[in-house]
Amino acid sequence: MANVIPFKAVRPTRDKIHLVASRAFYTYKKSVLEAKLESNPYSFIHIINPEFGEAEKSEPNSVERFTKVKATYDRFRSEGTFLQDESPRYYIYRQTGEMGTFTGLIAGASVQDYMDGRIKIHENTLSEREQTFKLYLDVCGFNAEPVLLTYPDHSGIREVLFKHAESRSEYEFTTTDLIKHELWLLPESENDKVLGFFEEVPAIYIADGHHRSASSALHGWEKMQKGQKGAHEHFLAFFIPESSLQIHPFHRMVTDLNGLSEHDFIMKLEQIGDLSSCEQAHLPNAKRSFGVYLNKRWYALTLKTQDELEDPVENLDAAQLSAHILDPILGIKDAKTSKRIDFMGGLEPIEKLEKLVDSGKFAVAFTLFSVSTTELKAVADAGLAMPPKSTWIEPKLRSGLTIYELS
């Protein structure tokens, strides 16, 4: 029984939405980021980077820096860049691009649901990052980028979404990454119906945004424990049905062969699985299968052990790679802390991985098969955490499209 509420979004005016909404600032190259800040006075990045162009800058993640973020946000509000809806709404958001079409609902996720485990996690979070983000929320008082949550497909929610997405959207714009964005305001008359449908959903799963969820929960829970009621009891989220979620792998690259010769390394792989040479890059299409790139050659490796394990974490291919290769052969005990291993998102061009190995920076690379939604849920349902860099999840969301004010 999930508590998913409508809210009064603060959002850009229709004529400025294409200028305001931005990707997370850390996804931009420095040169691109500077160009956007110099050429677009409406970009939401100005709010997140309030000291652009100033000679003296405050400490990152400090109260002083966050106070400037809040001041810039307030200036955008006072200048009329943003408006706020007069009544609580649900917002239908659709994103269309090379990866496909994603349609879901922007709404408020419940802090109580998070604390009670009805919003389930599959990653461990770092306390230091949680506290940093909580401080940001304490000072700034708003969520600007929705956490990505997924739920079991529900016919009633689907019917509402696609019925109203047939009408003309409030926003429709395309960004330079060739993604089309559309937003609809769901009529107030649908609020009770949608609220009731989500009450029928037994559990919700975090797909992307574990640290932002945790910090929002900490921020809200602290106030709730003091008996305070208000917007802080929820946080900004984009709810997407499980059938629409896309999960891609993270590939692994290792700096050396742990003192082994290439021949000895190949021999050890042949002892644990079926190894065959490939004429082109091998991207696995089944569990327990890996691509291996070594000395400008590709191999396909299928592990001999194909048994499904009871432990949902040990059953993941990332864990199997560690158990059979990274640890016993390459001597990497903990992929989370080892400096001999690095990761590359599965949507990056495979040529990039090849170049990194060919350059000598890495000795070998492994490509993995994608984690399924069923596997992700099994880990979360068991209260466990996935190995680091197990999933690259789509869609990625924009900041500043809808803003949730926490007070």
Side-chain angles (χ1 to χ4, degrees), residues 141-183:
F142 62 81
N143 296 142
E145 180 186 347
V147 172
L148 181 60
L149 303 181
T150 190
Y151 60 92
D153 286 46
H154 187 289
S155 59
I157 299 173
R158 176 182 172 81
E159 182 180 349
V160 170
L161 291 179
F162 285 90
K163 171 187 173 182
H164 291 282
E166 292 177 354
S167 61
R168 183 178 178 180
S169 59
E170 175 72 10
Y171 298 146
E172 181 181 350
F173 64 101
T174 299
T175 44
T176 53
D177 53 4
L178 306 182
I179 293 177
K180 180 181 178 182
H181 307 265
E182 298 168 277
L183 184 86

Side-chain angles (χ1 to χ4, degrees), residues 90-94 103-105 160-161 164-165 182-184 186:
Y90 291 102
Y91 302 85
I92 301 172
Y93 171 65
R94 183 163 68 197
T103 305
L105 205 66
V160 170
L161 291 179
H164 291 282
E182 298 168 277
L183 184 86
W184 292 262
L186 205 58

Side-chain angles (χ1 to χ4, degrees), residues 251-255 338-344 361-362:
H251 306 313
R252 272 76 170 137
M253 301 171 291
V254 180
T255 58
S338 175
K339 295 182 179 179
R340 296 172 53 218
I341 190 170
D342 204 350
F343 308 87
M344 192 184 82
K361 183 176 181 180
F362 298 97

Side-chain angles (χ1 to χ4, degrees), residues 152-345:
D153 286 46
H154 187 289
S155 59
I157 299 173
R158 176 182 172 81
E159 182 180 349
V160 170
L161 291 179
F162 285 90
K163 171 187 173 182
H164 291 282
E166 292 177 354
S167 61
R168 183 178 178 180
S169 59
E170 175 72 10
Y171 298 146
E172 181 181 350
F173 64 101
T174 299
T175 44
T176 53
D177 53 4
L178 306 182
I179 293 177
K180 180 181 178 182
H181 307 265
E182 298 168 277
L183 184 86
W184 292 262
L185 279 66
L186 205 58
E188 287 182 75
S189 57
E190 298 281 29
N191 283 359
D192 290 343
K193 181 190 295 185
V194 173
L195 187 67
F197 284 150
F198 271 106
E199 288 178 348
E200 298 171 0
V201 174
I204 290 172
Y205 298 82
I206 298 177
D208 195 15
H210 281 78
H211 281 93
R212 284 178 286 127
S213 298
S215 59
S216 292
L218 286 174
H219 169 83
W221 189 247
E222 183 178 274
K223 293 187 175 184
M224 291 164 66
Q225 292 300 100
K226 297 176 181 178
Q228 300 177 25
K229 295 185 177 297
H232 56 264
E233 296 177 81
H234 293 80
F235 57 94
L236 183 66
F238 178 52
F239 295 82
I240 189 171
E242 290 174 8
S243 61
S244 297
L245 195 68
Q246 288 189 15
I247 306 178
H248 303 273
F250 268 93
H251 306 313
R252 272 76 170 137
M253 301 171 291
V254 180
T255 58
D256 60 83
L257 298 181
N258 195 31
L260 296 171
S261 67
E262 180 182 333
H263 176 267
D264 289 343
F265 178 66
I266 291 295
M267 291 286 289
K268 287 185 177 294
L269 294 184
E270 290 176 336
Q271 292 172 7
I272 63 170
D274 297 323
L275 188 71
S276 59
S277 181
C278 304
E279 294 184 359
Q280 58 187 9
H282 180 67
L283 298 174
N285 58 9
K287 283 178 62 60
R288 301 292 195 273
S289 179
F290 305 93
V292 182
Y293 187 62
L294 174 70
N295 194 17
K296 298 187 178 181
R297 293 186 63 183
W298 277 99
Y299 301 87
L301 173 67
T302 300
L303 296 179
K304 291 178 181 178
T305 173
Q306 292 290 318
D307 296 337
E308 289 288 312
L309 305 177
E310 290 186 8
D311 187 313
V313 175
E314 294 302 318
N315 201 48
L316 299 173
D317 277 0
Q320 288 292 299
L321 181 69
S322 291
H324 292 282
I325 300 174
L326 297 183
D327 182 359
I329 298 177
L330 294 177
I332 296 175
K333 301 294 183 183
D334 187 349
K336 185 176 182 180
T337 59
S338 175
K339 295 182 179 179
R340 296 172 53 218
I341 190 170
D342 204 350
F343 308 87
M344 192 184 82

